[in-house]
Amino acid sequence: METNLFNKRGEASNSILVFVGIAVFIIIIVMLLPYISSALGLFNSGGTPPPATQGVIVSAIRTPGSVSPATKFDVVFTVYNNINGKGATDINLCLDNIGLFTVVSSPNQNGAPQSCTQIPVLFAGGSIPETFSLESPADSAYENIPYAQQLGYFLNYSYQASASQSAEFVSQQAYNSNNYPYASSASYGNTAGPVSITTLLSAPAIYGSAAQVSLSLANSGTGIILGEVNVNISMDSTYINMTQPPAGFTYEHTYSNGTVVFSGKMLVGASSTFIILPISLNQTKLNALSADGVPYLSSNIHISISYNYEESGFFPLAFNVQTYYIP
């Protein structure tokens, strides 16, 4: 009786080990499948994880490694928006450098196949697949000689980003005694995007003098900015205000809660573009702080930008040849 029980337990243990072994084998195969298919040339899978500053990108491209003459096949793009960014709008994804290929169907097709498709909006962290169906030419179109073509694409979209900067003012007495909290001298609360926002306040300003805030924009992405960058600068005018808006910036509006907005445009090229924001205390607030002996005050400046951006890239696609058999 004990021997039979022992045998049954042994058989059960062996069955569990076999099951676990099969499960582990399947998991390993699934994990290695993309690498195996790439090594065998079955599929091209392009794209890399987006850099920290990037907005919308083509994070992956799935195509056959090669195509036979007069064959239909799919090109699948995965469009991704950085999870640390904001929602993107008016996204256009277009095939480029199609060459001998023919587009036979496109995403959201309405009428004849198009080489472009539009994504109205894509929230931060979102991704969406877009599939174009293409047809390779007959072998006579390329003399039945094997070669690879660089198919291209470009992606443009509208994007926004924002950042904030603390402007700190201290009384002369607090400054002399070094008795005040140190506010952050650099920007905070940045949202990811290919156009980066950097602000800097070198030191707190003494009551009655202006603070110099440096605002810098730079193209930190891998594409190009289409046109100028729209910039809005806002602050609570009951605390602080801009003594002289930078060149090209104008007063926009003051809201009922005291928030004042200045707007302008900045042309951002290959290097950073910066402006100086001269900030001073509201005179009424300054008088009240001085009369009450308040040693310091800190208020925030908010910067928001909007712009159009374009990315582009290429991926290879090989032509096979038509094999002729001689009887």
Side-chain angles (χ1 to χ4, degrees):
M1 185 71 175
E2 291 181 359
T3 301
N4 291 337
L5 182 61
F6 178 79
N7 289 338
K8 289 180 180 180
R9 288 178 178 174
E11 290 173 1
S13 298
N14 290 337
S15 299
I16 293 172
L17 289 174
V18 170
F19 176 79
V20 171
I22 293 173
V24 170
F25 178 76
I26 292 173
I27 292 171
I28 292 173
I29 290 297
V30 170
M31 293 176 64
L32 294 178
L33 187 59
Y35 304 96
I36 295 171
S37 62
S38 178
L40 295 177
L42 299 178
F43 296 101
N44 286 332
S45 183
T48 56
T53 57
Q54 192 66 12
V56 180
I57 66 164
V58 171
S59 62
I61 306 169
R62 183 176 174 84
T63 68
S66 60
V67 293
S68 299
T71 302
K72 293 181 181 179
F73 62 95
D74 289 340
V75 176
V76 184
F77 295 92
T78 300
V79 181
Y80 170 78
N81 187 7
N82 197 315
I83 195 170
N84 296 315
K86 286 192 173 182
T89 58
D90 300 324
I91 304 167
N92 292 289
L93 173 64
C94 298
L95 290 170
D96 196 16
N97 194 41
I98 298 174
L100 298 176
F101 294 106
T102 302
V103 179
V104 294
S105 71
S106 53
N108 306 317
Q109 183 174 328
N110 184 12
Q114 303 292 322
S115 59
C116 293
T117 186
Q118 186 180 59
I119 305 168
V121 64
L122 186 61
F123 58 86
S127 64
I128 185 170
E130 297 289 353
T131 303
F132 292 87
S133 292
L134 280 69
E135 186 173 9
S136 60
D139 58 331
S140 58
Y142 56 98
E143 300 300 330
N144 203 35
I145 299 172
Y147 75 98
Q149 180 176 317
Q150 291 285 339
L151 274 172
Y153 71 90
F154 62 88
L155 176 77
N156 56 56
Y157 55 92
S158 298
Y159 214 67
Q160 297 180 349
S162 60
S164 297
Q165 169 67 57
S166 294
E168 187 178 24
F169 294 84
V170 299
S171 68
Q172 184 68 64
Q173 182 179 0
Y175 184 82
N176 292 341
S177 62
N178 200 32
N179 185 24
Y180 58 90
Y182 290 89
S184 174
S185 62
S187 54
Y188 64 93
N190 291 35
T191 51
V195 178
S196 60
I197 305 171
T198 304
T199 59
L200 181 65
L201 176 65
S202 57
I206 299 173
Y207 287 174
S209 61
Q212 299 288 321
V213 177
S214 172
L215 166 63
S216 176
L217 302 182
N219 183 3
S220 303
T222 55
I224 59 173
I225 304 168
L226 302 176
E228 295 178 302
V229 179
N230 300 305
V231 183
N232 283 334
I233 302 168
S234 62
M235 61 204 73
D236 188 344
S237 63
T238 61
Y239 287 88
I240 57 175
N241 209 334
M242 219 170 349
T243 56
Q244 180 64 46
F249 279 74
T250 57
Y251 163 78
E252 189 72 23
H253 187 72
T254 300
Y255 293 90
S256 57
N257 63 356
T259 300
V260 61
V261 180
F262 298 86
S263 64
K265 297 180 182 293
M266 294 175 65
L267 184 61
V268 182
S271 58
S272 299
T273 300
F274 75 95
I275 56 175
I276 297 296
L277 310 178
I279 306 298
S280 65
L281 276 171
N282 174 290
Q283 188 62 48
T284 302
K285 177 60 65 175
L286 172 62
N287 295 339
L289 292 172
S290 301
D292 295 340
V294 179
Y296 56 83
L297 178 140
S298 179
S299 189
N300 295 328
I301 302 167
H302 304 286
I303 297 98
S304 61
I305 63 174
S306 61
Y307 52 93
N308 295 320
Y309 202 77
E310 183 169 285
E311 292 280 332
S312 61
F314 293 89
F315 55 96
L317 190 56
F319 286 90
N320 292 331
V321 295
Q322 182 69 45
T323 304
Y324 296 98
Y325 294 95
I326 301 175

